[in-house]
């Protein structure tokens, strides 16, 4: 079996082979490192690779290791601390800042036996749904290297889709796990708000949730089980589920009531015909599986939504730059930030505390209305993207920074809705475009409903599997 074939196997199978002794942790990690060396120069998915440390960790893992994922390689998105490794947030302004502690997700992945082989790329401060930075250059989509792998977890998506990793850490404050999943043909879940602790830096996050990018729903469920749960000192958290998510994902979902919509939440944005067709075909599949399916006009197209979201999201992003300013002992100067980030940073300084709180309250009111409207449905199906993955350089070619930011909203108008409501949502690579690129749909679940959402997603995957599809870069290798 080639390294590429090995790294396309489910992480549960890889872990089982390491546990039984049929596969050594060192051989598995070395296979990942070899693939990174061969493929990453063309994809640019990694900020740093920790080859020596990863192999040393793997050498300490033997057959019978009781940890559920002992010996399986993974990477951390470079906006979460890995002790002793540089944390760049994708910006020149970070320099080579090196935290001396692990983030909660890093620590939980280590505790589960994963071997961290490196950190992956992201847009500056995780701001955009593309992954192109002044500091590290463009990360490329393994399905078409002229296109973006999405963002902000673009490096993670590209690494998994190209077979450099079997799974990768991601996070999502406006779609940043689901967008790369859609661009790269992967499964991406944004869990319920408060499901995964953001410790140790903050006690809660209104918009953002950590997670992973995988090839199958079962893998996503299994990793959610190890990442979920509060940490002492959290300000709020989601209630513990009644059973493991992996168990829920394996259940038949039963007959559900499901809504389909292509109503875009952002005024003036268009949805492509292929995206509309994907939603219709998903509805036909769901009806054939025994579900009650209804096409609806969603009530989330609120005037000024982009401005309202920016007034909340902008300061949240800018807080990362403010953190680096404290580390550096100075404010960002000329050349420290890219134009869009600088524009959001400057805009955030014009938003006073009352305006920021008011924007948050506005989003909460909008969320309550959406959740109330959606209550009769077990799931809402939408496109994940409004169009095909953008060609690299599309956003940088727009001279007006705020116009560039608005253009990214037209690319991904659907994903931020679930960050606003806090409810779980998952992107599934159910179809392919006419040119062969992945074509995804998004399923939005009930509050606290990851288990039911995963069960429905698994049923869809069983009816129309996608895990054997491979990106051009992976297939060629």
């Amino acid at each position: 079996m080639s390294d590429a074939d090995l790294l396309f196997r489910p992480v549960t199978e890889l872990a089982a082979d390491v546990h039984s002794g049929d596969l050594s942790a060192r051989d598995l990690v070395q296979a990942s490192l070899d693939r990174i060396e061969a493929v990453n120069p063309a994809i640019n998915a990694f900020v740093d690779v920790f080859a020596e440390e990863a192999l040393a960790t793997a050498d300490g893992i033997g057959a019978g290791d009781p940890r559920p994922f002992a010996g399986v390689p993974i990477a951390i998105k470079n906006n979460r601390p890995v002790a002793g490794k540089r944390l760049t947030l994708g910006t020149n302004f970070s320099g080579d800042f090196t935290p001396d502690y692990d983030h909660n997700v890093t620590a939980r992945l280590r505790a589960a036996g994963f071997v961290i082989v490196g950190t992956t790329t992201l847009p500056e401060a995780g701001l955009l749904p593309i992954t192109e930075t002044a500091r590290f250059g463009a990360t490329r989509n393994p399905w078409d290297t002229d296109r973006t792998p999405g963002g902000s977890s673009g490096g993670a998506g590209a690494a998994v889709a190209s077979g450099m990793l079997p799974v990768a850490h991601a996070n999502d404050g406006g779609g940043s796990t689901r967008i790369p999943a859609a661009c790269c043909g992967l499964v991406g879940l944004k869990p319920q708000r408060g499901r995964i602790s953001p410790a140790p830096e903050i006690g809660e996050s209104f918009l953002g949730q950590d997670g992973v990018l995988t090839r199958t729903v079962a893998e996503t469920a299994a990793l959610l089980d190890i990442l979920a749960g509060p940490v002492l000192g959290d300000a709020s958290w989601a209630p513990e589920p009644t059973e493991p998510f992996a168990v829920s994902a394996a259940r038949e979902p039963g007959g559900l009531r499901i809504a389909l919509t292509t109503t875009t939440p952002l005024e003036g944005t268009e949805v492509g015909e292929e995206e509309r067709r994907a939603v219709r075909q998903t509805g036909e599949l769901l009806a054939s599986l025994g579900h009650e399916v209804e096409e609806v006009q969603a009530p989330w197209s609120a005037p000024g939504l982009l401005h309202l979201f920016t007034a909340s999201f902008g300061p949240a992003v800018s807080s990362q730059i403010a953190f680096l300013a404290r580390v550096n002992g100075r404010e960002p100067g000329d050349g420290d930030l890219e134009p869009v980030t600088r524009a959001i940073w400057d805009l955030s300084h014009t938003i006073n505390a009352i305006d920021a709180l008011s924007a948050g309250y506005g989003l909460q009111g909008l969320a309550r209305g959406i959740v109330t409207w959606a209550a009769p449905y077990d799931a809402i199906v939408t496109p994940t993207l409004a169009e095909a993955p953008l060609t690299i350089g599309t956003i940088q070619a727009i001279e007006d920074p705020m116009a560039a930011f608005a253009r990214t909203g037209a690319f991904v108008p659907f994903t931020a809705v679930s960050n606003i409501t806090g409810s779980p949502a998952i992107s599934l690579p159910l179809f392919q475009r006419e040119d062969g690129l992945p074509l995804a749909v998004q399923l939005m679940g009930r509050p606290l409903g990851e288990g039911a959402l995963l069960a429905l997603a698994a049923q869809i995957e069983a009816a129309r599997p996608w895990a054997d599809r491979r990106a051009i870069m992976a297939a060629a290798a």
Side-chain angles (χ1 to χ4, degrees), residues 225-427:
D225 280 324
I226 68 167
L227 292 174
V231 172
L232 188 66
D234 284 351
S236 62
W237 56 88
E240 184 177 348
T242 57
E243 64 182 2
F245 293 111
V247 173
S248 297
R251 293 188 186 281
E252 285 295 320
L256 304 178
R257 187 180 181 196
I258 298 172
L260 312 178
T261 187
T262 55
T263 306
T264 176
L266 296 181
E267 290 183 308
T269 58
E270 299 293 331
V271 180
E273 181 50 40
E274 286 192 277
E275 288 73 20
R276 292 179 182 276
R277 184 167 59 249
V279 170
R280 290 195 301 268
Q281 291 177 349
T282 302
E284 293 168 2
L285 175 61
L286 289 166
S288 74
L289 293 171
H291 302 295
E292 179 186 345
V293 179
E294 176 184 353
E295 189 165 353
V296 300
Q297 291 288 318
W300 50 44
S301 183
L305 177 57
L306 182 61
H307 172 77
L308 190 65
F309 183 77
T310 302
S312 181
F313 181 69
V317 170
S318 295
S319 67
Q320 300 175 71
I321 304 302
F323 168 77
L324 294 176
R326 292 194 297 273
V327 170
N328 291 333
R330 64 178 181 86
E331 295 286 294
D334 292 342
D336 283 329
L337 300 177
E338 297 168 23
V340 177
T341 315
R342 168 63 71 176
I344 294 295
W345 170 257
D346 291 342
L347 174 65
S348 296
H349 282 78
T350 70
I351 301 171
N352 61 36
I354 295 173
D355 290 340
L357 284 171
S358 296
Y361 296 150
L363 290 180
Q364 290 173 29
L366 178 63
R368 190 179 295 276
I370 293 171
V371 170
T372 301
W373 164 78
Y377 302 104
D378 296 290
I380 314 292
V381 179
T382 76
T384 307
L385 312 176
E387 58 186 306
L390 299 179
T391 302
I392 287 172
T394 297
I395 302 303
Q396 281 77 357
I398 301 174
E399 293 185 2
D400 180 349
M402 292 309 295
F405 183 64
R407 174 65 182 88
T408 65
F411 173 39
V412 292
F414 293 96
T415 53
V417 171
S418 290
N419 300 88
I420 293 169
T421 66
S423 302
I426 191 168
S427 181

Side-chain angles (χ1 to χ4, degrees), residues 67 93 99 111 119 125-126 144 146 161 170 197 201 206 263 300-301 365 369 440 460:
R67 294 173 294 173
F93 189 48
T119 57
D144 178 349
D146 289 334
S197 172
E201 293 96 346
F206 179 68
T263 306
W300 50 44
S301 183
I460 292 171

Side-chain angles (χ1 to χ4, degrees), residues 41-76:
I43 298 296
N44 190 32
F46 281 84
V47 171
D48 289 310
V49 178
F50 316 141
E52 291 184 7
E53 297 96 323
L55 289 172
T57 300
D59 285 340
I61 298 171
D65 192 305
R67 294 173 294 173
F69 294 101
V72 177
I74 198 168
I76 305 298

Side-chain angles (χ1 to χ4, degrees), residues 164-253:
M164 290 187 272
L165 292 169
V167 64
H169 162 254
N171 41 45
D172 190 318
S176 290
T177 297
R178 290 160 288 154
I179 295 162
C183 290
C184 296
L186 303 172
V187 176
L189 171 74
K190 183 205 77 71
Q192 169 69 33
R193 177 182 294 139
R195 181 66 69 197
I196 298 171
S197 172
E201 293 96 346
I202 58 177
E204 62 185 358
S205 174
F206 179 68
L207 295 173
Q209 272 294 289
D210 285 271
V212 290
L213 285 161
T214 70
R215 297 192 180 90
T216 67
V217 174
E219 291 171 287
T220 290
L223 268 74
L224 182 58
D225 280 324
I226 68 167
L227 292 174
V231 172
L232 188 66
D234 284 351
S236 62
W237 56 88
E240 184 177 348
T242 57
E243 64 182 2
F245 293 111
V247 173
S248 297
R251 293 188 186 281
E252 285 295 320

